[in-house]
Amino acid sequence: MKGKMDRDKIIKKLKDIKDPAQRDRIIWALAGKEKEVMGVKPAPLAPQKAVPLSVRRQEQKLPQLPVNARKIFNYIVPGIFIFFGLMNIVQALMQYSITGQLEDAIPKIILGGIFILFGIFGIMKARKQIQSTDADQKET
C-alpha cells in the first residue's frame, strides 16, 4: 500500500516538473529501472515541432506508376490467363489429332476453357476499374 502512495506522489510531482532531465529520472524511477544497472543515461527528450497534417500525408505517399502504365498492368494477368487457356486448348487439339482419342483431350480443353473464362472476366473487371478511375479523374 505504501508503494502505491509513493507512486501517486511521484506521478503528481512529474506533472509539475518542467526540467526534461528531472522528468526522465522520474519516468525511469516509475518504470523501476536503475540507471546504474543499465549503464546508460536516458537521453532527454527534445521538444518536437508539430508537423502539419498535410505534410505528413505527403510523406506517406508511395511512388506511383504513371496512369497509362497502371491501365496496362490491369490487363496483364487476364492476358496471361487467356494465353494459358489457348495453349491448353491448342495442346489438346494437337494431342487429339495425333492419337485420335478425344477422351484424353477433354480435360485439357475444359481446363483451357476455364482459363479463358477467368481471363475474360478479368478483362471485364479491369475495364470497369479503368472506366471508374477515368470518371473520377474527370470530376477532379
Side-chain angles (χ1 to χ4, degrees), residues 99-118:
T99 61
Q101 294 179 346
L102 188 60
E103 297 84 23
D104 294 337
I106 288 178
K108 280 196 171 198
I109 291 174
I110 292 172
L111 184 64
I114 291 171
F115 273 126
I116 289 175
L117 286 176
F118 280 136

Side-chain angles (χ1 to χ4, degrees), residues 3-21:
K4 174 95 170 121
M5 293 179 72
D6 289 339
R7 187 173 179 87
D8 291 337
K9 287 180 185 177
I10 292 173
I11 290 172
K12 286 181 183 176
K13 187 177 179 181
L14 178 64
K15 292 178 183 177
D16 297 332
I17 293 179
K18 303 286 185 215
D19 182 32

Side-chain angles (χ1 to χ4, degrees), residues 15-34:
K15 292 178 183 177
D16 297 332
I17 293 179
K18 303 286 185 215
D19 182 32
Q22 184 68 21
R23 267 194 216 145
D24 290 342
R25 278 182 262 167
I26 292 174
I27 291 172
W28 277 70
L30 284 171
K33 297 182 179 180
E34 295 293 328

Side-chain angles (χ1 to χ4, degrees), residues 66-84:
V67 177
N68 293 335
R70 282 186 284 175
K71 288 179 182 179
I72 292 172
F73 262 6
N74 286 338
Y75 289 105
I76 288 178
V77 173
I80 291 172
F81 276 116
I82 289 175
F83 174 75
F84 280 119

